[in-house]
């Protein structure tokens, strides 16, 4: 819940991106990641997009693209009705837009 609040504050321009949590989340072992994706898909999705965007600033586009593709891959596994609910509670569209704007 705290990560969600931090992400929402960031995309409203009210705080920094929670990169510490995002980098921790994407670095977890595969068993824990599978559990996170089934229990809280938006956290994994947003963590990958935040890391991807930050990678565009100080690393290679290839590294950034890998995290971006991870986010898209898990999003494709979520049923459309659940995805719509998640998009109401999380700034998923804003995160996608930010990545694409920085990438351009």
């Amino acid at each position: 819940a705290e990560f969600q609040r931090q992400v929402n504050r960031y995309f409203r321009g009210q705080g920094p991106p929670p990169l510490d949590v995002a980098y921790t989340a994407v670095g977890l072992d595969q068993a824990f990641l599978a559990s996170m994706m089934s229990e809280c898909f938006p956290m994994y999705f947003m963590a990958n997009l935040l890391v991807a965007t930050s990678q565009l600033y100080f690393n290679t586009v290839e590294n950034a693209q890998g995290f971006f593709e991870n986010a898209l891959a898990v999003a494709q596994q979520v049923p459309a009705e659940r995805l719509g609910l998640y998009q109401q509670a999380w700034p998923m569209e804003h995160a996608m837009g930010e990545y694409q704007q920085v990438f351009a």
Side-chain angles (χ1 to χ4, degrees):
E2 181 60 24
F3 180 68
Q4 183 178 6
R5 282 189 287 276
Q6 291 174 341
V7 166
N8 281 316
R9 280 194 303 264
Y10 169 65
F11 283 103
R12 286 191 305 253
Q14 299 171 340
L19 293 176
D20 55 339
V21 177
Y23 273 90
T24 299
V26 300
L28 296 171
D29 67 61
Q30 291 299 318
F32 195 84
L33 284 177
S35 173
M36 181 194 309
M37 285 187 291
S38 68
E39 294 176 20
C40 190
F41 150 78
M43 180 177 181
Y44 184 72
F45 179 85
M46 295 301 296
N48 272 279
L49 283 177
L50 287 170
V51 169
T53 303
S54 72
Q55 291 286 307
L56 289 173
Y57 287 106
F58 64 87
N59 212 322
T60 65
V61 170
E62 291 79 23
N63 284 350
Q65 194 66 22
F67 289 106
F68 182 76
E69 289 171 4
N70 284 345
L72 294 181
V74 296
Q76 291 175 350
Q77 299 173 17
V78 176
E81 63 276 357
R82 280 184 51 203
L83 190 58
L85 292 173
Y86 291 143
Q87 288 173 330
Q88 292 175 16
W90 291 78
M92 297 167 71
E93 301 274 330
H94 293 287
M96 295 282 293
E98 180 184 60
Y99 176 84
Q100 291 167 339
Q101 181 181 15
V102 173
F103 184 73

